[in-house]
Amino acid sequence: TLPPAPNEVSSRAATTYRQIPGSSTTIISKAMMSMGKKKLSPLRYGSDTSSTMRRTSILRLTLCTTVLVFVAVTGVLGVPVEEKTGLGKGVVSRTMGTNTVHSHARTTPTRRTASLDLANLRPYRRDLQTQPARTYKPATTAFATVSDVDLSTTSAEAMIAASKAKRLAHLEEQAMEAIRFAVENKDLKHVVFPCALIAGDMVILDLIDRLGYLKGGDVKVMFVDTFHLFDETLQFMRETEDRYGFKAHWFHAKGFATKEEYEAKMGKDFWKKDIDEYDRICKVEPFQRGLSELEADVMLNGRRRDHGFDRAFIDVYEPGKMMKVNPLAYWTFEDCWDYIKDKEIAYHPLHDQGYPSIGDAKDTVPVPKEKWFEYAGERSGRFTGLKNKDGSVKTECGIHVDPSKRTYDRDLWDKGEVKKIDITELESVRNAIVTVYAPWCPFCKRMEEEYGKFGLDPSVPVPVMAARGDEQRELSMSLGVESFPTTFYIDDEGKRIKYPSEKRTVADWKAFLENPVEVAAKLQAELDASTETPKASLI
């Protein structure tokens, strides 16, 4: 094809340039001029035809790109394709490009009552007794390679189904491998799975059963009753035990045999008065006690990367003194439901009433079903209306903490590296260095080894101590503790001099002890001059 005549090129370029004043072509023109080039002038035709044609090509390419981006953003090219993700009765129907959403009417779930109305437990298709028995079989190899399908005749719908099948097959194989590692690794003796009966947990439970580890007790299932769960949750756990033929290890607040005993002493609305203490008594303590009594050295966990930014980088395996294995780390919430439907796995009845995740009845609410599969959408209905003491919105129950909502499996410095004291003894300490810490704080965990070396160093001139501060936070704050970890030097008169730096090494602490007042002032000045936000874990 012959190129257009020079005048035609100039005319077309001029028309294009004039139709989109201030467009990206103008930007290109200014950029070229700033680089020492001649200003782009589509109205002027010179002797250099090839140069003019190159500039015209730039104009055309820029215009096409702008139009395509605009079309893509506004969805002009979108072809409505309906994607149904029914959960039981069909939870949501989304039409891509048109954003049409269908949802079912919700019914209000029952809270715990003296006599449970079993009729409320049956608004969904979930016959536990007639579900087919499942045995382990290798992941399907359907559509494992491109050669398995005839791309010249296969429809887009079939390719979507094939892609999803391949993805689920890979995820299933990976999850089973993780569970087998936890059970069969010779260095791991006691595998515990804390199960909250949410969608991901039911996937893991079913995988454990298919591998033959559930009935034989190779994996112990732990269940924490906070005394504030939905009635449906308790009933569903009993049904799940019957369905799979195992007995879970139930734990609840220490010192109370029943919810009635708890309410008689603490009050029905104790959580409204002190949410942190409620979390400690009803969630954290029984959870940690359960891990301890079951002698857990490896914990299976349902955390996934799509739960939110603070879990965005977790791996399937998290080594530590208590290994954490997250079989579903790379799954999405949608993957969980695709798998549940494919394997006909029983799921919590409240999912059919609009609850993507289920916690305490007092602060868990339904979520519009079109929001379920957004990033972090699963947990969007949790801890509704709750606030921390500092006024911030509560998003954690105290069991899992930042940066990846981890639990702590033991106290720090449990081998005698440093002298442990109670926080109430802090005022009586003299001539010592003391760190106030929380065993779940990731920053405290990071400094554990180095601070332990500091405590064992015979050249350190004063006793090295540690006091746990998260159990009596009001007292800790009254002593000047604003974050964990906080390190003080306490002189002979009982004056506390705070070490304000995040440089936590033996050498830095030794330098601090040489002249605590002067070094602290210098470090504080450096901190005040810095614009970086301190990384200490807030109380």
Side-chain angles (χ1 to χ4, degrees):
T1 304
L2 295 176
N7 288 335
E8 184 181 353
V9 171
S10 178
S11 176
R12 288 180 182 177
T15 303
T16 302
Y17 190 74
R18 288 167 177 160
Q19 285 177 341
I20 312 179
S23 68
S24 54
T25 56
T26 307
I27 298 173
I28 293 174
S29 174
K30 293 180 179 178
M32 292 178 66
M33 184 173 66
S34 66
M35 295 170 59
K37 306 285 185 180
K38 291 183 178 180
K39 183 175 180 181
L40 179 62
S41 177
L43 300 179
R44 174 171 165 244
Y45 175 70
S47 59
D48 190 349
T49 303
S50 61
S51 175
T52 302
M53 292 179 65
R54 281 197 302 270
R55 291 197 295 269
T56 304
S57 297
I58 293 175
L59 287 171
R60 289 175 174 172
L61 178 60
T62 303
L63 176 61
C64 290
T65 302
T66 303
V67 172
L68 286 174
V69 170
F70 173 79
V71 170
V73 171
T74 56
V76 173
L77 295 180
V79 179
V81 177
E82 190 171 23
E83 177 188 20
K84 297 199 174 188
T85 55
L87 313 181
K89 292 182 179 179
V91 166
V92 61
S93 174
R94 298 174 301 191
T95 303
M96 309 304 292
T98 61
N99 201 29
T100 299
V101 176
H102 307 284
S103 60
H104 298 300
R106 303 188 189 94
T107 59
T108 303
T110 58
R111 269 57 175 172
R112 184 182 304 218
T113 57
S115 60
L116 179 65
D117 184 0
L118 295 180
N120 288 327
L121 298 176
R122 300 298 180 189
Y124 50 91
R125 186 175 63 81
R126 185 177 57 81
D127 188 341
L128 298 178
Q129 302 305 319
T130 61
Q131 288 184 11
R134 288 173 291 280
T135 58
Y136 172 68
K137 58 182 179 180
T140 177
T141 57
F143 299 102
T145 62
V146 175
S147 61
D148 290 333
V149 294
D150 184 354
L151 300 180
S152 65
T153 59
T154 302
S155 66
E157 290 76 10
M159 290 302 296
I160 291 172
S163 299
K164 184 170 290 189
K166 283 197 296 183
R167 175 179 173 81
L168 287 180
H170 169 71
L171 292 173
E172 176 191 58
E173 183 178 16
Q174 184 183 67
M176 284 187 163
E177 180 181 68
I179 296 170
R180 288 199 302 270
F181 167 82
V183 174
E184 298 174 12
N185 189 283
K186 64 180 181 179
D187 296 326
L188 304 173
K189 306 299 182 185
H190 304 285
V191 186
V192 176
F193 172 44
C195 182
L197 301 174
I198 55 179
D201 285 359
M202 295 310 298
V203 170
I204 295 176
L205 191 67
D206 195 75
L207 290 172
I208 295 172
D209 181 61
R210 290 173 58 199
L211 288 167
Y213 297 147
L214 194 55
K215 294 183 179 68
D218 296 289
V219 176
K220 298 175 182 177
V221 178
M222 188 177 86
F223 179 71
V224 175
D225 179 5
T226 67
F227 291 149
H228 291 74
L229 299 177
F230 289 97
D231 292 330
E232 290 88 340
T233 299
L234 300 175
Q235 180 66 20
F236 183 51
M237 173 51 85
R238 297 185 184 101
E239 292 179 352
T240 300
E241 289 176 325
D242 293 340
R243 163 70 179 128
Y244 288 100
F246 75 100
K247 180 62 180 175
H249 299 266
W250 292 49
F251 293 88
H252 51 67
K254 189 174 183 179
F256 304 100
T258 64
K259 180 183 180 182
E260 289 68 29
E261 285 187 18
Y262 166 82
E263 290 182 346
K265 180 177 180 179
M266 308 301 294
K268 291 185 177 181
D269 296 329
F270 174 68
W271 62 273
K272 294 182 179 179
K273 301 175 183 177
D274 192 334
I275 187 62
D276 291 331
E277 186 66 6
Y278 161 75
D279 283 345
R280 187 186 71 81
I281 293 173
C282 294
K283 297 182 178 181
V284 178
E285 189 282 327
F287 188 91
Q288 302 302 337
R289 176 161 41 89
L291 294 177
S292 177
E293 290 186 10
L294 296 177
E295 301 179 318
D297 58 1
V298 56
M299 179 175 65
L300 297 179
N301 198 291
R303 292 178 300 148
R304 304 191 312 271
R305 291 189 169 197
D306 72 330
H307 275 150
F309 294 110
D310 45 5
R311 298 186 184 185
F313 300 101
I314 63 170
D315 290 314
V316 175
Y317 306 97
E318 294 182 277
K321 294 197 175 181
M322 184 180 72
M323 168 79 74
K324 298 179 182 67
V325 176
N326 310 303
L328 309 184
Y330 303 143
W331 293 48
T332 66
F333 195 36
E334 186 174 1
D335 291 329
C336 293
W337 280 111
D338 287 339
Y339 194 81
I340 284 173
K341 289 183 291 181
D342 182 65
K343 302 299 181 183
E344 298 181 348
I345 299 173
Y347 59 85
H348 198 297
L350 292 183
H351 287 308
D352 283 329
Q353 298 185 34
Y355 293 78
S357 183
I358 297 98
D360 282 353
K362 61 181 174 56
D363 52 46
T364 304
V365 299
V367 174
K369 293 175 182 178
E370 62 270 21
K371 300 288 186 181
W372 281 32
F373 300 103
E374 293 179 353
Y375 185 68
E378 179 184 1
R379 293 170 58 82
S380 58
R382 299 286 297 276
F383 312 110
T384 304
L386 300 185
K387 291 188 176 181
N388 296 305
K389 288 184 177 180
D390 62 0
S392 61
V393 176
K394 187 173 181 64
T395 60
E396 283 303 319
C397 65
I399 291 177
H400 301 291
V401 296
D402 291 339
S404 56
K405 296 182 170 55
R406 298 172 184 166
T407 62
Y408 75 94
D409 53 289
R410 61 178 182 83
D411 202 359
L412 303 183
W413 303 292
D414 55 356
K415 295 182 180 179
E417 307 97 314
V418 302
K419 182 179 180 180
K420 304 284 279 293
I421 63 171
D422 192 273
I423 189 68
T424 58
E425 303 176 55
L426 195 61
E427 295 223 28
S428 62
V429 172
R430 298 292 184 271
N431 193 30
I433 186 167
V434 184
T435 290
V436 182
Y437 72 97
W440 45 259
C441 170
F443 306 106
C444 296
K445 290 180 180 180
R446 291 174 193 170
M447 70 174 280
E448 180 184 18
E449 182 179 359
E450 193 72 9
Y451 196 66
K453 293 178 182 178
F454 183 53
L456 295 173
D457 191 331
S459 65
V460 176
V462 299
V464 179
M465 303 179 177
R468 183 171 175 179
D470 61 318
E471 294 182 314
Q472 299 188 52
R473 298 189 178 192
E474 297 295 337
L475 177 58
S476 296
M477 295 177 72
S478 70
L479 295 172
V481 178
E482 298 177 350
S483 61
F484 300 129
T486 293
T487 301
F488 296 104
Y489 167 69
I490 305 178
D491 64 17
D492 293 331
E493 298 179 355
K495 181 180 178 181
R496 291 185 296 275
I497 304 169
K498 183 178 179 180
Y499 177 72
S501 175
E502 293 182 21
K503 298 176 181 178
R504 301 182 180 118
T505 68
V506 172
D508 289 314
W509 288 315
K510 283 185 175 181
F512 172 58
L513 288 177
E514 290 178 3
N515 192 330
V517 174
E518 182 178 320
V519 173
K522 179 180 178 181
L523 292 173
Q524 186 61 52
E526 293 176 356
L527 186 65
D528 292 341
S530 173
T531 57
E532 181 180 358
T533 302
K535 297 179 181 179
S537 176
L538 294 179
I539 294 178

